[in-house]
C-alpha cells in the first residue's frame, strides 16, 4: 500500500490542473495501481506550527481519516484544536501537521514525526487518555489511519 499526499497552493491551481493536465497524466499511469482512493481536504488549521509540505525533516507521517457524526462535527474540531493539537505539539519528535476537512463530515489529521519510535512513544503514553478526554468515540463514526514511512526518492 502506498499513500501519496499532494498540497496545492490554492483551489484555483488544483482546478486548473484537473481541467488541463490530469487526464493525460492519469492515462500514462494506467495499470500501475489498483483500488485508488482520492480525497480533497481543505486546510482548516495547523497542528503545532505553520504547516509546510516539506518532508526532509521527518521520517514518518501519521494520517488519520475520520468520518464524524454530523451533530458532533463542531465538538470534534474543537477537541482537535484544544486537546489533541497541544498534546501532539508538546510531544518530542513531532515536527508539524495539519487538520483538514472535506464535505460529508470527513476530516484528515496529518502529523509528521522524526521517527516511528517517537510517534510510538506518543501513542503509548497519551492516546488512550486523550481519546477519553476528547470524547473521540462519541464523535467519530469511522476511523482509518496509517503510519507511513516516507520514501525520500518519492518527494517531488
Amino acid at each position: 500500500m502506498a499513500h501519496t499526499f499532494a498540497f496545492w497552493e490554492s483551489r484555483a491551481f488544483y482546478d486548473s490542473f484537473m481541467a488541463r493536465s490530469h487526464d493525460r497524466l492519469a492515462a500514462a499511469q494506467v495499470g500501475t495501481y489498483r483500488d485508488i482512493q482520492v480525497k480533497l481536504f481543505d486546510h482548516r488549521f495547523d497542528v503545532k506550527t505553520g504547516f509546510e509540505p516539506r518532508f526532509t525533516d521527518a521520517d514518518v507521517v501519521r494520517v488519520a481519516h475520520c468520518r464524524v457524526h454530523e451533530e458532533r462535527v463542531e465538538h470534534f474540531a474543537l477537541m482537535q484544536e484544544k486537546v489533541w493539537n497541544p498534546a501532539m505539539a508538546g510531544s518530542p519528535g513531532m515536527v508539524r501537521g495539519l487538520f483538514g476537512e472535506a464535505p460529508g463530515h470527513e476530516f484528515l489529521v496529518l502529523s509528521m514525526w522524526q521517527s516511528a519510535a517517537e510517534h510510538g512513544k506518543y501513542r503509548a503514553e497519551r492516546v488512550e487518555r486523550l481519546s477519553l478526554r476528547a470524547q473521540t468515540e462519541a464523535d467519530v463514526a469511522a476511523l482509518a489511519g496509517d503510519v507511513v514511512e516516507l520514501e525520500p526518492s518519492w518527494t517531488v
Side-chain angles (χ1 to χ4, degrees):
M1 176 188 298
H3 296 272
T4 303
F5 304 103
F7 300 90
W8 296 91
E9 188 174 317
S10 70
R11 181 62 189 249
F13 283 127
Y14 170 80
D15 290 343
S16 175
F17 168 77
M18 292 304 288
R20 292 180 176 82
S21 304
H22 175 267
D23 291 349
R24 177 179 42 82
L25 291 171
Q29 296 174 348
V30 168
T32 63
Y33 60 85
R34 64 182 173 162
D35 300 327
I36 191 169
Q37 294 180 15
V38 178
K39 287 279 182 182
L40 183 62
F41 292 87
D42 288 322
H43 177 270
R44 188 151 168 183
F45 50 79
D46 294 335
V47 178
K48 194 170 184 173
T49 59
F51 182 81
E52 54 184 281
R54 182 171 43 88
F55 293 86
T56 55
D57 55 351
D59 285 339
V60 297
V61 170
R62 164 64 173 145
V63 59
H65 176 208
C66 308
R67 192 168 37 82
V68 175
H69 297 292
E70 183 176 1
E71 70 279 4
R72 302 287 295 191
V73 165
E74 288 312 311
H75 181 265
F76 178 77
L78 182 66
M79 292 299 101
Q80 183 64 43
E81 190 173 10
K82 302 295 185 193
V83 175
W84 291 102
N85 285 7
M88 278 193 282
S91 294
M94 195 280 189
V95 179
R96 67 185 153 275
L98 64 85
F99 181 72
E101 184 174 6
H105 322 298
E106 291 188 51
F107 296 88
L108 178 76
V109 182
L110 185 144
S111 56
M112 300 170 74
W113 297 81
Q114 289 173 341
S115 69
E118 291 295 338
H119 176 262
K121 283 190 252 180
Y122 162 76
R123 195 161 163 70
E125 295 169 2
R126 296 187 165 176
V127 169
E128 186 175 339
R129 179 176 47 84
L130 293 168
S131 185
L132 288 171
R133 184 171 163 213
Q135 302 172 358
T136 304
E137 196 170 300
D139 291 346
V140 175
L143 171 66
D146 211 352
V147 176
V148 181
E149 290 184 38
L150 296 174
E151 174 53 54
S153 66
W154 284 27
T155 301
V156 182

